[in-house]
Amino acid sequence: MPPACAGSMLMAGNEAGLAAQHAMAPRRNAGAGTVLAFDFGEKFTGVAVGETSIGVAHPLGLITAQGNAARMDEVAALVAEWKPGTLVVGLPLSMDGTEHELTRRCRRFARQLVARFSLPVELVDERLSSAAAEEALREAGKGGRKHKLRAHQVSAQIILQSHFDDPGSS
């Protein structure tokens, strides 16, 4: 990821939540070709957005809501605003491809998205996306503890870009 992309990230950081924090993000082509991607985590969920017609992902922000209901409310606000045609969820796997507890939680999150929004949800192997996100941030001069939370949204961007670059792998 070029440093310019990492430097343009938005970050939700207060009680207002992500939906109210990303007003400056690009929105030109919201609609059926719009895709929202999630890097699901127990504490933080990174979010990215992209348009299938151009195949470029952008980091969008960070859901900091604790608890499933609050997290889903923030996702609902994003879905209402962006009107995506597809949702993508990063699927964490062990390096050998085996599943673990977070894999099962991500699958559950994906099922909840399908049930609530009646949108297609695609799972994308996210192995090494966090490491790639942290490296991209370091290269952009945004590494270290001060910028650690940005890694989640950059990871979501990497997951979505992977989906765009190799749609058959989902």
Side-chain angles (χ1 to χ4, degrees):
M1 176 185 62
C5 291
S8 66
M9 291 177 281
L10 301 175
M11 175 82 87
N14 62 28
E15 300 78 42
L18 174 62
Q21 297 282 327
H22 66 279
M24 296 175 10
R27 305 175 202 227
R28 276 186 222 141
N29 298 318
T34 300
V35 181
L36 286 176
F38 302 94
D39 176 31
F40 177 84
E42 293 177 349
K43 290 185 180 182
F44 306 107
T45 299
V47 183
V49 65
E51 176 64 33
T52 57
S53 65
I54 58 174
V56 177
H58 303 279
L60 186 58
L62 184 67
I63 294 174
T64 59
Q66 298 295 310
N68 190 51
R71 180 184 301 113
M72 291 304 281
D73 287 346
E74 287 199 42
V75 172
L78 291 168
V79 168
E81 180 175 350
W82 289 91
K83 299 176 181 32
T86 303
L87 303 174
V88 170
V89 175
L91 186 66
L93 299 167
S94 299
M95 289 307 293
D96 65 2
T98 59
E99 296 193 4
H100 46 77
E101 183 57 33
L102 191 54
T103 310
R104 288 182 281 284
R105 293 194 62 184
C106 284
R107 287 188 185 280
R108 180 174 174 249
F109 176 66
R111 286 191 304 271
Q112 290 170 335
L113 292 173
V114 170
R116 181 153 178 183
F117 304 110
S118 299
L119 291 170
V121 175
E122 298 186 27
L123 297 169
V124 173
D125 184 344
E126 69 165 39
R127 280 179 280 188
L128 300 178
S129 65
S130 295
E134 290 171 7
E135 177 63 24
L137 287 167
R138 272 192 301 278
E139 289 176 9
K142 303 289 184 187
R145 197 171 281 216
K146 181 178 176 182
H147 301 285
K148 184 164 179 57
L149 292 178
R150 290 183 183 211
H152 299 285
Q153 58 192 309
V154 174
S155 185
Q157 176 189 18
I158 291 167
I159 291 163
L160 182 52
Q161 193 62 55
S162 174
H163 167 73
F164 286 150
D165 293 346
D166 189 9
S169 68
S170 296

